[in-house]
Amino acid sequence: MTYYLIAGERSGDLHGANLIRSIRQHDPQAQFRAYGGEQMETAGATLVRHYREMAFMGFVEVARNLGTIRRIMRECQADLLKHRPDVLVLIDYSGFNLRVARFAKAHGIRVFYYIAPKVWAWNPSRANKIKASVDRLFTILPFETEFFAQYDYKVDYVGNPLLDALVQFQPDPQFLTKIAGITKSGQDRPIIALLPGSRRQEILGMLPTMLSATRHFPDYRFVVGTVSNLPTSLYDELLQNYSDVGRVNDAAYDLLTVATAALVTSGTATLETALFTVPQVVCYKASKLFYAIAKRAMSVRFISLVNLIADREVVKELIQDFREDTVVSELRAILPGGSRRADQLAGYAEVRQRMGEPGASERAGALMVQALQHQL
């Protein structure tokens, strides 16, 4: 069988790589072509385009890059028709992937979707459009089965692939000695992780305020989790006045293993932080225009996956009130001895229980191969 995978973000690259390995266990002759990153390529996919070329975020940036996005879409469509895979497997990244799904369906290419678009948060009626263009939908959040059932759409809940990633993770015993910029005086202080995101816009929008809060906690050592798909110079410029703040590259899990608390940009990292049982403050700030539009369009109470899964506030979400003073106040509340630390950790246990057991990648891969074999 031939599989064409499309992931437009760092987390999708990770989950796509694990999915490829699972599919190959059940289809040893499988061939893969992909839009993704190094992890999918290492797993055996022929990489057509790297996700960093597609990482546009927010209304303004998308509008500025419409020409590039349309060109990439045309190239993707042409490549699909040229290679005509047995199945197109889409991984999250809904803005791009839903358009590809409609194109593929119209041209007789079977479509699977792994990690469902978050239509329950934005315009739920779009579930009908997904139903029309996606042959099999594989979901990773427990409440999604009930949501899609409202649209008479039976989905396959396979569990969350983050649990697979955590099972595979092996902490680096020498990690603390590898933190760039660490000083002897900082080695004995508890660590607070700063996870500002994996996109340039997120770093520029979130990290300065996170850094401004560090001066209020001299008894703690702050460490930024950086990513290799962004230039080092970006971090150098932002950190130039914070010589005591360390950094680690592509090592967020190692950082969370040793962290006492964390400031985290809203996204997958909030759930990862919870699974490592690290108390956190969820941070996000958008333009006034984006926030005004989003507030009207959103159909859920929360933005973090932790709170969405728990269906209540477990972690504090600083959205438009993301400022130095609010960050300092909320961070103090979740540090040892803080008023909300114990409650947040108890909430994490509830979230973990609702997520079920590891094996999402294995279950999804097996079901995909089975569906294709039955089709033949």
Side-chain angles (χ1 to χ4, degrees):
M1 300 281 188
T2 57
Y3 302 77
Y4 199 117
L5 285 73
I6 300 179
E9 298 173 304
R10 186 180 184 85
S11 60
D13 182 35
L14 167 65
H15 301 320
N18 287 333
L19 182 64
I20 287 171
R21 295 185 184 99
S22 174
I23 289 173
R24 185 162 278 133
Q25 290 179 12
H26 301 277
D27 182 4
Q29 304 305 314
Q31 297 182 15
F32 302 91
R33 191 171 179 83
Y35 276 43
E38 292 85 359
Q39 296 192 69
M40 291 169 72
E41 188 173 31
T42 299
T46 298
L47 195 62
V48 182
R49 184 180 296 278
H50 198 285
Y51 64 80
R52 63 172 165 259
E53 301 175 49
M54 306 158 62
F56 304 116
M57 178 182 172
F59 296 132
V60 175
E61 191 180 7
V62 169
R64 287 174 178 169
N65 292 278
L66 274 177
T68 300
I69 295 170
R70 287 168 177 161
R71 176 178 55 78
I72 293 173
M73 178 65 71
R74 289 194 300 269
E75 291 175 359
C76 179
Q77 292 171 346
D79 200 55
L80 270 172
L81 294 182
K82 178 180 179 180
H83 293 276
R84 295 201 69 87
D86 291 300
V87 64
L88 170 66
V89 181
L90 305 171
I91 304 172
D92 204 356
Y93 197 55
S94 61
F96 186 89
N97 276 342
L98 285 176
R99 289 175 173 81
V100 179
R102 290 193 291 271
F103 175 86
K105 185 72 172 179
H107 287 82
I109 298 173
R110 193 170 177 85
V111 180
F112 292 168
Y113 212 124
Y114 180 49
I115 308 181
K118 298 175 179 62
V119 292
W120 36 263
W122 304 88
N123 192 0
S125 63
R126 286 192 301 164
N128 286 319
K129 294 182 179 179
I130 297 175
K131 181 180 176 181
S133 57
V134 175
D135 296 289
R136 291 285 289 269
L137 184 62
F138 301 86
T139 61
I140 67 167
L141 296 171
F143 58 81
E144 291 178 317
T145 300
E146 182 178 349
F147 168 79
F148 283 106
Q150 299 175 55
Y151 298 88
D152 194 27
Y153 191 14
K154 185 178 182 301
V155 302
D156 295 284
Y157 173 61
V158 294
N160 200 294
L162 285 181
L163 297 175
D164 301 349
L166 265 63
V167 167
Q168 296 167 6
F169 171 66
Q170 296 293 325
D172 181 354
Q174 303 300 317
F175 174 70
L176 287 176
T177 66
K178 298 178 181 178
I179 298 176
I182 196 167
T183 62
K184 186 175 182 180
S185 63
Q187 290 178 351
D188 297 328
R189 286 181 284 165
I191 288 176
I192 296 176
L194 303 181
L195 300 177
S198 60
R199 295 170 172 173
R200 182 182 182 86
Q201 312 92 285
E202 290 175 329
I203 308 303
L204 292 173
M206 309 303 297
L207 188 53
T209 301
M210 290 181 175
L211 289 170
S212 70
T214 65
R215 70 191 73 180
H216 298 273
F217 300 90
D219 295 332
Y220 289 87
R221 170 73 173 175
F222 287 82
V223 179
V224 180
T226 66
V227 292
S228 59
N229 59 284
L230 293 175
T232 303
S233 58
L234 174 65
Y235 299 102
D236 290 341
E237 183 175 351
L238 294 172
L239 287 165
Q240 62 182 337
N241 295 322
Y242 295 91
S243 58
D244 195 42
V245 175
R247 68 173 92 175
V248 291
N249 194 51
D250 292 343
Y253 283 9
D254 278 302
L255 180 54
L256 288 171
T257 299
V258 300
T260 297
L263 301 179
V264 188
T265 293
S266 179
T268 305
T270 62
L271 185 54
E272 291 172 319
T273 302
L275 293 174
F276 274 96
T277 64
V278 178
Q280 66 182 297
V281 179
V282 177
C283 308
Y284 195 81
K285 188 171 185 178
S287 68
K288 290 182 179 179
L289 174 61
F290 180 88
Y291 181 70
I293 296 173
K295 191 173 182 180
R296 289 176 177 270
M298 284 187 67
S299 57
V300 292
R301 293 185 294 159
F302 307 109
I303 64 169
S304 71
L305 290 173
V306 179
N307 291 343
L308 286 166
I309 293 172
D311 196 27
R312 65 180 181 87
E313 185 182 81
V314 172
V315 296
K316 180 65 176 180
E317 299 178 353
L318 295 179
I319 308 177
Q320 291 309 90
D321 55 347
F322 173 61
R323 304 183 307 271
E324 179 180 340
D325 62 320
T326 54
V327 170
V328 170
S329 175
E330 295 302 331
L331 182 54
R332 283 194 175 122
I334 61 169
L335 287 173
S339 60
R340 287 199 293 276
R341 185 177 178 90
D343 287 344
Q344 192 170 120
L345 291 173
Y348 282 175
E350 179 184 338
V351 169
R352 179 64 179 81
Q353 189 276 329
R354 291 192 178 194
M355 289 179 65
E357 297 300 319
S361 303
E362 163 60 25
R363 287 187 285 271
L367 286 170
M368 288 181 186
V369 174
Q370 183 182 44
L372 291 171
Q373 290 175 340
H374 285 175
Q375 178 192 20
L376 296 177

mmCIF file of all heavy atoms in Angstrom, residues 17 29 34 73 78 103 123 187 219 256 258 270 277-278 293 296 303 306 309 339 361 373:
data_model
loop_
_atom_site.group_PDB
_atom_site.id
_atom_site.type_symbol
_atom_site.label_atom_id
_atom_site.label_comp_id
_atom_site.label_asym_id
_atom_site.label_seq_id
_atom_site.Cartn_x
_atom_site.Cartn_y
_atom_site.Cartn_z
ATOM 1 N N ALA A 17 5.350 10.164 12.537
ATOM 2 C CA ALA A 17 6.451 9.188 12.568
ATOM 3 C C ALA A 17 6.030 7.925 13.310
ATOM 4 O O ALA A 17 6.289 6.798 12.853
ATOM 5 C CB ALA A 17 7.671 9.812 13.235
ATOM 6 N N GLN A 29 5.209 -3.899 3.470
ATOM 7 C CA GLN A 29 5.590 -3.374 2.155
ATOM 8 C C GLN A 29 5.122 -1.931 1.954
ATOM 9 O O GLN A 29 5.237 -1.394 0.849
ATOM 10 C CB GLN A 29 5.003 -4.268 1.048
ATOM 11 C CG GLN A 29 5.399 -5.736 1.147
ATOM 12 C CD GLN A 29 6.905 -5.925 1.201
ATOM 13 O OE1 GLN A 29 7.637 -5.318 0.415
ATOM 14 N NE2 GLN A 29 7.362 -6.746 2.131
ATOM 15 N N ALA A 34 5.403 12.169 2.173
ATOM 16 C CA ALA A 34 4.866 13.025 3.233
ATOM 17 C C ALA A 34 5.271 14.491 3.143
ATOM 18 O O ALA A 34 6.346 14.840 2.645
ATOM 19 C CB ALA A 34 5.311 12.484 4.593
ATOM 20 N N MET A 73 -0.446 24.692 -1.903
ATOM 21 C CA MET A 73 -1.634 23.868 -2.100
ATOM 22 C C MET A 73 -1.669 23.301 -3.513
ATOM 23 O O MET A 73 -1.939 22.103 -3.712
ATOM 24 C CB MET A 73 -2.889 24.693 -1.819
ATOM 25 C CG MET A 73 -4.205 23.950 -2.045
ATOM 26 S SD MET A 73 -4.453 22.576 -0.902
ATOM 27 C CE MET A 73 -4.769 23.474 0.628
ATOM 28 N N ALA A 78 -1.090 18.667 -7.147
ATOM 29 C CA ALA A 78 -0.459 18.073 -8.332
ATOM 30 C C ALA A 78 0.321 16.828 -7.949
ATOM 31 O O ALA A 78 0.301 15.823 -8.684
ATOM 32 C CB ALA A 78 0.458 19.100 -8.988
ATOM 33 N N PHE A 103 -10.285 18.066 -1.999
ATOM 34 C CA PHE A 103 -9.686 17.852 -3.325
ATOM 35 C C PHE A 103 -9.471 16.357 -3.577
ATOM 36 O O PHE A 103 -9.831 15.844 -4.647
ATOM 37 C CB PHE A 103 -8.349 18.597 -3.404
ATOM 38 C CG PHE A 103 -7.595 18.341 -4.676
ATOM 39 C CD1 PHE A 103 -7.842 19.101 -5.817
ATOM 40 C CD2 PHE A 103 -6.633 17.340 -4.743
ATOM 41 C CE1 PHE A 103 -7.152 18.858 -7.000
ATOM 42 C CE2 PHE A 103 -5.936 17.087 -5.916
ATOM 43 C CZ PHE A 103 -6.199 17.851 -7.054
ATOM 44 N N ASN A 123 -16.829 26.712 15.073
ATOM 45 C CA ASN A 123 -17.868 26.409 14.101
ATOM 46 C C ASN A 123 -18.187 24.913 14.026
ATOM 47 O O ASN A 123 -17.824 24.226 13.072
ATOM 48 C CB ASN A 123 -17.443 26.915 12.710
ATOM 49 C CG ASN A 123 -18.590 26.908 11.717
ATOM 50 O OD1 ASN A 123 -19.712 26.520 12.051
ATOM 51 N ND2 ASN A 123 -18.309 27.317 10.500
ATOM 52 N N GLN A 187 22.921 25.772 39.644
ATOM 53 C CA GLN A 187 22.729 24.328 39.589
ATOM 54 C C GLN A 187 21.866 23.794 40.725
ATOM 55 O O GLN A 187 21.238 22.755 40.594
ATOM 56 C CB GLN A 187 24.088 23.628 39.576
ATOM 57 C CG GLN A 187 24.847 23.832 38.268
ATOM 58 C CD GLN A 187 26.207 23.176 38.270
ATOM 59 O OE1 GLN A 187 26.659 22.703 39.304
ATOM 60 N NE2 GLN A 187 26.857 23.148 37.133
ATOM 61 N N ASP A 219 15.071 32.764 43.583
ATOM 62 C CA ASP A 219 15.393 31.460 44.156
ATOM 63 C C ASP A 219 15.175 30.309 43.170
ATOM 64 O O ASP A 219 15.369 29.143 43.528
ATOM 65 C CB ASP A 219 14.553 31.212 45.410
ATOM 66 C CG ASP A 219 14.882 32.184 46.528
ATOM 67 O OD1 ASP A 219 16.041 32.658 46.562
ATOM 68 O OD2 ASP A 219 13.995 32.473 47.343
ATOM 69 N N LEU A 256 10.927 19.110 31.248
ATOM 70 C CA LEU A 256 9.768 18.882 32.108
ATOM 71 C C LEU A 256 10.064 17.834 33.178
ATOM 72 O O LEU A 256 9.481 17.868 34.265
ATOM 73 C CB LEU A 256 8.568 18.456 31.266
ATOM 74 C CG LEU A 256 7.950 19.567 30.411
ATOM 75 C CD1 LEU A 256 6.904 19.000 29.456
ATOM 76 C CD2 LEU A 256 7.330 20.656 31.286
ATOM 77 N N VAL A 258 12.642 17.631 34.955
ATOM 78 C CA VAL A 258 13.328 18.235 36.106
ATOM 79 C C VAL A 258 12.669 19.520 36.593
ATOM 80 O O VAL A 258 13.137 20.140 37.545
ATOM 81 C CB VAL A 258 14.808 18.524 35.752
ATOM 82 C CG1 VAL A 258 15.537 17.244 35.380
ATOM 83 C CG2 VAL A 258 14.919 19.550 34.620
ATOM 84 N N THR A 270 0.679 22.097 26.630
ATOM 85 C CA THR A 270 -0.035 22.184 27.908
ATOM 86 C C THR A 270 -0.414 20.791 28.398
ATOM 87 O O THR A 270 -0.326 20.501 29.597
ATOM 88 C CB THR A 270 -1.298 23.054 27.798
ATOM 89 O OG1 THR A 270 -2.222 22.468 26.870
ATOM 90 C CG2 THR A 270 -0.942 24.454 27.325
ATOM 91 N N THR A 277 3.152 15.876 35.079
ATOM 92 C CA THR A 277 2.726 16.354 36.399
ATOM 93 C C THR A 277 3.526 17.577 36.858
ATOM 94 O O THR A 277 3.947 17.663 38.012
ATOM 95 C CB THR A 277 2.768 15.239 37.476
ATOM 96 O OG1 THR A 277 4.121 14.807 37.660
ATOM 97 C CG2 THR A 277 1.895 14.065 37.077
ATOM 98 N N VAL A 278 3.709 18.515 35.947
ATOM 99 C CA VAL A 278 4.385 19.773 36.276
ATOM 100 C C VAL A 278 3.330 20.878 36.334
ATOM 101 O O VAL A 278 2.701 21.181 35.309
ATOM 102 C CB VAL A 278 5.452 20.128 35.221
ATOM 103 C CG1 VAL A 278 6.106 21.474 35.550
ATOM 104 C CG2 VAL A 278 6.506 19.024 35.132
ATOM 105 N N ILE A 293 -12.515 38.314 17.083
ATOM 106 C CA ILE A 293 -13.140 37.350 16.179
ATOM 107 C C ILE A 293 -13.226 35.978 16.840
ATOM 108 O O ILE A 293 -14.259 35.304 16.794
ATOM 109 C CB ILE A 293 -12.353 37.261 14.853
ATOM 110 C CG1 ILE A 293 -12.418 38.601 14.118
ATOM 111 C CG2 ILE A 293 -12.893 36.135 13.973
ATOM 112 C CD1 ILE A 293 -11.532 38.666 12.895
ATOM 113 N N ARG A 296 -15.934 35.468 19.516
ATOM 114 C CA ARG A 296 -17.275 35.276 18.960
ATOM 115 C C ARG A 296 -17.442 33.881 18.357
ATOM 116 O O ARG A 296 -18.521 33.291 18.400
ATOM 117 C CB ARG A 296 -17.546 36.320 17.876
ATOM 118 C CG ARG A 296 -17.742 37.740 18.411
ATOM 119 C CD ARG A 296 -17.905 38.726 17.274
ATOM 120 N NE ARG A 296 -18.156 40.078 17.765
ATOM 121 C CZ ARG A 296 -19.348 40.579 17.998
ATOM 122 N NH1 ARG A 296 -20.422 39.834 17.790
ATOM 123 N NH2 ARG A 296 -19.494 41.809 18.435
ATOM 124 N N ILE A 303 -9.302 27.074 26.355
ATOM 125 C CA ILE A 303 -8.415 26.914 25.196
ATOM 126 C C ILE A 303 -7.387 25.814 25.415
ATOM 127 O O ILE A 303 -6.826 25.299 24.447
ATOM 128 C CB ILE A 303 -7.681 28.228 24.854
ATOM 129 C CG1 ILE A 303 -6.749 28.654 25.988
ATOM 130 C CG2 ILE A 303 -8.669 29.329 24.506
ATOM 131 C CD1 ILE A 303 -5.809 29.786 25.606
ATOM 132 N N VAL A 306 -5.894 20.557 28.646
ATOM 133 C CA VAL A 306 -6.041 20.069 30.023
ATOM 134 C C VAL A 306 -7.439 20.374 30.541
ATOM 135 O O VAL A 306 -8.151 19.485 31.039
ATOM 136 C CB VAL A 306 -4.982 20.716 30.941
ATOM 137 C CG1 VAL A 306 -5.163 20.232 32.379
ATOM 138 C CG2 VAL A 306 -3.576 20.409 30.452
ATOM 139 N N ILE A 309 -10.322 18.513 28.504
ATOM 140 C CA ILE A 309 -10.494 17.101 28.859
ATOM 141 C C ILE A 309 -11.149 16.970 30.223
ATOM 142 O O ILE A 309 -12.043 16.147 30.431
ATOM 143 C CB ILE A 309 -9.140 16.360 28.822
ATOM 144 C CG1 ILE A 309 -8.620 16.277 27.382
ATOM 145 C CG2 ILE A 309 -9.271 14.955 29.419
ATOM 146 C CD1 ILE A 309 -7.211 15.744 27.268
ATOM 147 N N SER A 339 -1.005 28.337 46.763
ATOM 148 C CA SER A 339 -2.394 28.030 47.116
ATOM 149 C C SER A 339 -3.083 27.074 46.153
ATOM 150 O O SER A 339 -4.064 26.428 46.519
ATOM 151 C CB SER A 339 -3.199 29.329 47.194
ATOM 152 O OG SER A 339 -3.175 30.014 45.938
ATOM 153 N N SER A 361 -1.077 5.204 18.517
ATOM 154 C CA SER A 361 -0.450 5.040 17.208
ATOM 155 C C SER A 361 -0.635 3.618 16.695
ATOM 156 O O SER A 361 -0.936 3.400 15.509
ATOM 157 C CB SER A 361 1.044 5.371 17.293
ATOM 158 O OG SER A 361 1.238 6.683 17.787
ATOM 159 N N GLN A 373 -7.231 -3.005 3.548
ATOM 160 C CA GLN A 373 -7.253 -4.411 3.103
ATOM 161 C C GLN A 373 -8.672 -4.881 2.813
ATOM 162 O O GLN A 373 -8.917 -5.596 1.842
ATOM 163 C CB GLN A 373 -6.591 -5.292 4.156
ATOM 164 C CG GLN A 373 -5.090 -5.097 4.249
ATOM 165 C CD GLN A 373 -4.450 -5.879 5.370
ATOM 166 O OE1 GLN A 373 -5.122 -6.297 6.327
ATOM 167 N NE2 GLN A 373 -3.134 -6.086 5.294
#
